[in-house]
Amino acid sequence: MMQTTHMKWIFPIAYLAFQLQVFSAGATHIVGGEMNYRYLGNNDYEIRLTVYRDCFNGIPPFDNPAAIGIFDVNNNLVNTLYVPFTFSDTMPPSILSPCLIPPINICYERTTYITTTNLPPIAGGYQLVYQRCCRNTTIINIVAPLNAGATYIATIPDPSLTTTNSNPVFNNWPPTFICANEPFTFDHSATDIDGDSLVYVLCDPLDGASTLNPMPQPPFNPPYVPVTWQPPYGPSNLFGGVPLTIDAHTGWITATPSITGQFVYGVCVQEYRNGNLLGQTRRDYQMNVVNCPQIVVASILSPTLACGTLNATFTNNSFGAASYYWDFGVSSLSNDTSDLANPSYMYPDTGTYTAMLVAYSSINPACNDTNWGTVIVYPPLTATFNYQGVPCSNTVMFTDASPSTSGAPTAWHWNFGDNATSNLQNPSHTYNLPGTYVVTLIVHTNAGCVDTVSMNVIVVNVQPVATFNDSNIICTGECVFNNLSQWSTNFSWNFGDNTSSTAANPSHTYQQPGTYIVHMIAYDSNGCADTVSQNVNIVFPPAASFTSNVPPCSLAGTFANTSTAGITAYKWDFGDGDSSAVQNPTHTYQLSGTYNVTLIVTDNNGCVDTTTQSVSPFIFSHAEFAFTIDTCAAQVMFTNGSVNAETVLWNFGDGNTSRDFLPPLHAYSQSGMYPVVLITNPGSSCADTMQTELNYDLAAVGNVWVPNAFTPNTDGKNDVFKVYAYYPCDELTLVIFNRWGQKIYETKGSSITWDGFFDGRPVEPGIYVYLLKGTYTDKIGSVAVIK
């Protein structure tokens, strides 16, 4: 801690030219304020409103009277107190140091309005509000300051928290100015006559009132909005430079502003009682940052510490000095001095010394400053530790045994060699596996000494962990126990039915169903043991069975469950893709056939059994067929149109039969009437029969008719020579010859015609010879062309 024994100041003549030009013009208005109340008893309160204004610019009068609005928790106006103006006092810029001339154009006036009122307790408490517009137009950290007013507010808490409370009162008036680029500290603490706990925070000033209504009486209703910060300024950058901060416990504020000008900031003190927030008191203030003449301050980083070496390096935190003088505090020496800014000095031995620093001013010797600081030279730190294993455990206790001759140990970092760490001084650690681990300890002392030590730690007594299978094992007579124990060599089992085993993974057959408590003890080679107990439920498995009833010539069947008792779930598979979950289902098949029906049952223990039976549903069939005679192939094609037929039997009437379900083909060897019979599902009670007569005439096969004359005169009647064949699948070839044997026409196909032309001209009337050939035809004849 810096210790300053004396500080002498003079008024530098060169500073007479100091000016604060940034505040030279513009209307000036309210610059700060705060609201306080004090409980007097019998629901009476003394209310104090303190308001600050600028003395130089604008100089609007203080309100007379000032209107203090009283609002409830729902922001409704309860009452307005009109408090008359009584007096004001002036707060000109002043400083106690003769080495600094304060600015002459900074001045604040202050007045305090005092009144009393009776406020009976109401739910939610009260809000005390005063509003005034406007702020100085030269403020640079908020937007449109001339149009920004101010709201000062204090809250009386809800009576459920307390019915007797006075809010905190700030102890000191803030200075009217601070120096740019110089550290600034100020005690913004408050006093609470109730002894409540106080917490300090920086808070946004509140906007309020307007240029159109600069003195609202009564004030506008809550809620209120904060001022709008002008970038880059804001709660974390109020003045520029080193940001303004506040100690939450002491109320001390610190900052090093870097920009001259006028700035607005707010300080709130929060009031707690029994851990409950009663409210907060808000102070809103305008700070003037000005350039100040150089101030000389001597400052040593104290204590200065040296660990493991006699050489101490000094940190000089002084400012404003032109030169320095150091005395390093060795009483037996006179040459332990230096004029360097940040010297180092080799001390003759370890120990504690007091060093002196004199900072010399370049302005006036009266502004010189002297400071003393403690120097502690420590011997080297030697870190060490002890450890001890916990019997029948994988836990090791560690104890820091580092000496305190190098300062008191303040920080520890342990690495236990298995990726686990700790920052405790004397930790314990549980290892997962036995083995040798390299444990490292790093020790820090308050003297800045650091040392590291590593040791091999052997972990041998790992506690066995007994476990087997999962809880509530369900067995069906014989149980196989899966031993999942760790770090164990021997085992002792008690199966709960007066039988036991020492096997690692025993099997055991229970004679009766029931619930048995199985105990297992796992031992390691050192005799350490662990015990586990679990319930084993022994049940008999279910027996799945059912009966089925499918009436003859029917596709509908009924199924009756005959499984053992205790069944909780049924799953039927009827073999045709359908299923059911009811106990006794019915099912209708879409087709006749044989199906495998499966029943899966689950009992109340979760045990499962399965059984399968076959059923053969058949229904009455309807026999029906048609036929087509293929004259080309000399075959008859039969088409099966039967319904519900699983099998068929064809009798073609000529001694031949077939069981083809697909349409059969049959060739008759001779013409005749044949009785064709189709039987569906033959041999069953669901059979059906259809019979029809088939007239098969071989003479119709290959019948061809050729005309003997035609008249190609384009009158639309008998204009072409056309061959009519009743063998449509045959391909015929027609050749025409004239009377001299010349071929004049030839064609091929299943449809044969000649239009009576040769070489594009009609032929002469007369007799022409034709030759007609095909698979079943070979014919020569003549045809007359008549015109």
Side-chain angles (χ1 to χ4, degrees):
M1 187 119 190
M2 184 182 73
Q3 300 176 0
T4 301
T5 57
H6 68 278
M7 187 176 291
K8 299 179 180 178
W9 308 91
I10 66 169
F11 289 90
I13 297 175
Y15 187 62
L16 294 177
F18 172 77
Q19 298 181 39
L20 185 65
Q21 297 180 357
V22 70
F23 310 132
S24 60
T28 302
H29 297 275
I30 195 165
V31 297
E34 58 200 68
M35 181 86 71
N36 291 98
Y37 63 87
R38 182 173 183 177
Y39 183 70
L40 304 176
N42 297 321
N43 300 326
D44 289 332
Y45 291 85
E46 177 189 79
I47 300 175
R48 288 177 173 262
L49 167 66
T50 300
V51 181
Y52 305 85
R53 70 170 189 174
D54 196 308
C55 302
F56 279 94
N57 300 308
I59 317 179
F62 286 110
D63 295 353
N64 190 12
I68 300 175
I70 302 175
F71 299 88
D72 62 17
V73 71
N74 297 313
N75 302 326
N76 298 312
L77 181 65
V78 176
N79 191 13
T80 303
L81 304 178
Y82 295 95
V83 188
F85 170 79
T86 56
F87 68 94
S88 66
D89 56 357
T90 301
M91 302 171 58
S94 62
I95 194 167
L96 299 177
S97 171
C99 292
L100 174 64
I101 299 176
I104 60 174
N105 57 345
I106 296 179
C107 172
Y108 288 173
E109 282 188 335
R110 174 185 63 210
T111 188
T112 300
Y113 298 90
I114 304 175
T115 187
T116 59
T117 186
N118 186 273
L119 296 174
I122 62 172
Y126 295 95
Q127 304 176 73
L128 310 179
V129 179
Y130 170 75
Q131 291 184 306
R132 190 67 166 86
C133 185
C134 296
R135 301 178 186 269
N136 281 339
T137 188
T138 49
I139 297 173
I140 64 175
N141 65 341
I142 63 173
V143 174
L146 188 59
N147 295 321
T151 298
Y152 308 120
I153 185 170
T155 56
I156 297 177
D158 187 283
S160 65
L161 298 176
T162 179
T163 58
T164 60
N165 186 63
S166 301
N167 71 336
V169 178
F170 288 105
N171 297 322
N172 302 303
W173 303 108
T176 57
F177 74 96
I178 59 177
C179 298
N181 299 310
E182 301 293 350
F184 163 67
T185 61
F186 175 70
D187 182 5
H188 236 121
S189 62
T191 299
D192 188 90
I193 62 174
D194 301 319
D196 295 325
S197 298
L198 302 181
V199 177
Y200 301 91
V201 295
L202 296 176
C203 54
D204 290 341
L206 298 179
D207 201 350
S210 67
T211 54
L212 298 178
N213 189 2
M215 188 176 61
Q217 295 190 348
F220 299 118
N221 292 51
Y224 306 112
V225 298
V227 295
T228 301
W229 297 107
Q230 176 70 52
Y233 299 102
S236 61
N237 180 26
L238 291 168
F239 302 155
V242 178
L244 179 69
T245 60
I246 189 168
D247 189 299
H249 302 292
T250 65
W252 276 88
I253 62 174
T254 60
T256 304
S258 61
I259 301 173
T260 60
Q262 290 178 316
F263 303 87
V264 171
Y265 73 97
V267 173
C268 290
V269 54
Q270 298 170 343
E271 182 182 11
Y272 288 86
R273 185 178 301 176
N274 298 323
N276 296 314
L277 177 63
L278 301 183
Q280 70 176 7
T281 299
R282 181 187 300 265
R283 170 179 275 179
D284 178 332
Y285 201 71
Q286 173 187 299
M287 180 62 71
N288 303 287
V289 180
V290 301
N291 285 318
C292 298
Q294 188 174 16
I295 302 173
V296 178
V297 175
S299 176
I300 305 174
L301 178 63
S302 180
T304 296
L305 306 174
C307 186
T309 176
L310 299 178
N311 187 50
T313 299
F314 293 86
T315 300
N316 187 344
N317 292 326
S318 304
F319 62 89
S323 59
Y324 303 94
Y325 172 80
W326 292 82
D327 185 323
F328 298 117
V330 181
S331 59
S332 60
L333 299 175
S334 60
N335 61 347
D336 58 333
T337 61
S338 175
D339 58 3
L340 297 178
N342 294 284
S344 295
Y345 180 71
M346 184 70 70
Y347 281 89
D349 198 359
T350 59
T352 300
Y353 303 87
T354 300
M356 180 185 72
L357 169 63
V358 180
Y360 295 106
S361 170
S362 63
I363 300 174
N364 192 305
C367 293
N368 295 345
D369 190 30
T370 303
N371 184 240
W372 284 264
T374 300
V375 183
I376 306 176
V377 181
Y378 289 98
L381 172 64
T382 302
T384 185
F385 65 87
N386 301 320
Y387 69 92
Q388 182 178 5
V390 178
C392 291
S393 170
N394 52 357
T395 299
V396 179
M397 307 294 294
F398 295 92
T399 304
D400 172 34
S402 304
S404 60
T405 55
S406 300
T410 57
W412 303 264
H413 181 76
W414 297 82
N415 187 320
F416 299 115
D418 62 350
N419 297 322
T421 61
S422 174
N423 292 320
L424 299 177
Q425 181 178 12
N426 300 305
S428 63
H429 179 62
T430 300
Y431 288 89
N432 293 325
L433 294 171
T436 300
Y437 298 87
V438 179
V439 178
T440 299
L441 168 63
I442 303 174
V443 180
H444 298 254
T445 71
N446 60 356
C449 299
V450 181
D451 191 37
T452 301
V453 61
S454 296
M455 296 185 189
N456 289 333
V457 174
I458 301 174
V459 180
V460 293
N461 291 326
V462 177
Q463 174 70 18
V465 177
T467 182
F468 63 92
N469 288 19
D470 293 326
S471 299
N472 299 316
I473 306 169
I474 296 178
C475 297
T476 57
E478 182 182 26
C479 282
V480 177
F481 295 93
N482 183 20
N483 189 343
L484 304 175
S485 302
Q486 294 177 292
W487 309 300
S488 308
T489 57
N490 299 300
F491 307 93
S492 175
W493 297 82
N494 185 321
F495 299 117
D497 60 351
N498 296 321
T499 60
S500 61
S501 174
T502 58
N505 297 285
S507 62
H508 180 63
T509 301
Y510 289 89
Q511 302 302 316
Q512 297 294 330
T515 299
Y516 299 86
I517 301 177
V518 177
H519 301 274
M520 190 264 280
I521 305 175
Y523 302 89
D524 67 6
S525 58
N526 296 313
C528 300
D530 188 33
T531 303
V532 64
S533 298
Q534 296 188 38
N535 289 340
V536 176
N537 296 319
I538 304 301
V539 298
F540 290 140
S545 65
F546 67 92
T547 60
S548 61
N549 180 22
V550 182
C553 300
S554 172
L555 293 179
T558 59
F559 302 88
N561 169 60
T562 58
S563 305
T564 54
I567 304 302
T568 58
Y570 303 86
K571 184 177 180 180
W572 297 84
D573 184 340
F574 298 112
D576 61 350
D578 287 347
S579 60
S580 176
V582 301
Q583 181 177 1
N584 300 298
T586 61
H587 181 63
T588 300
Y589 290 89
Q590 300 299 313
L591 297 173
S592 300
T594 299
Y595 300 90
N596 290 324
V597 179
T598 300
L599 169 62
I600 303 174
V601 295
T602 304
D603 66 10
N604 50 16
N605 296 306
C607 299
V608 177
D609 191 34
T610 303
T611 185
T612 301
Q613 297 181 26
S614 63
V615 296
S616 300
F618 285 91
I619 63 172
F620 283 111
S621 59
H622 173 69
E624 184 174 342
F625 69 94
F627 62 86
T628 302
I629 300 174
D630 186 348
T631 58
C632 295
Q635 291 180 324
V636 179
M637 178 183 292
F638 293 91
T639 302
N640 186 357
S642 303
V643 179
N644 297 327
E646 294 295 324
T647 58
V648 295
L649 175 62
W650 298 86
N651 189 326
F652 300 117
D654 62 350
N656 294 304
T657 62
S658 174
R659 290 185 178 274
D660 289 343
F661 197 86
L662 297 175
L665 295 173
H666 185 63
Y668 288 91
S669 60
Q670 58 185 358
S671 301
M673 295 293 294
Y674 295 94
V676 180
V677 178
L678 171 62
I679 303 173
T680 58
N681 297 336
S684 74
S685 59
C686 304
D688 189 31
T689 301
M690 176 184 174
Q691 178 176 330
T692 188
E693 296 293 327
L694 187 152
N695 184 7
Y696 187 78
D697 186 5
L698 285 177
V701 177
N703 188 12
V704 178
W705 180 79
V706 183
N708 57 9
F710 71 106
T711 59
N713 56 8
T714 68
D715 63 355
K717 298 178 181 179
N718 199 27
D719 285 332
V720 296
F721 174 71
K722 183 175 182 180
V723 177
Y724 295 89
Y726 297 98
Y727 228 156
C729 53
D730 195 8
E731 183 177 71
L732 300 177
T733 299
L734 174 68
V735 183
I736 306 293
F737 300 91
N738 61 18
R739 69 182 67 177
W740 295 284
Q742 179 186 9
K743 184 172 68 172
I744 63 174
Y745 179 74
E746 183 176 0
T747 187
K748 182 183 294 186
S750 58
S751 178
I752 302 299
T753 60
W754 178 44
D755 59 1
F757 278 72
F758 173 57
D759 284 341
R761 295 193 299 265
V763 299
E764 294 294 329
I767 301 300
Y768 293 84
V769 177
Y770 66 84
L771 176 62
L772 182 66
K773 285 184 174 293
T775 304
Y776 306 101
T777 302
D778 188 357
K779 188 170 184 172
I780 299 175
S782 61
V783 59
V785 177
I786 303 172
K787 293 192 177 180

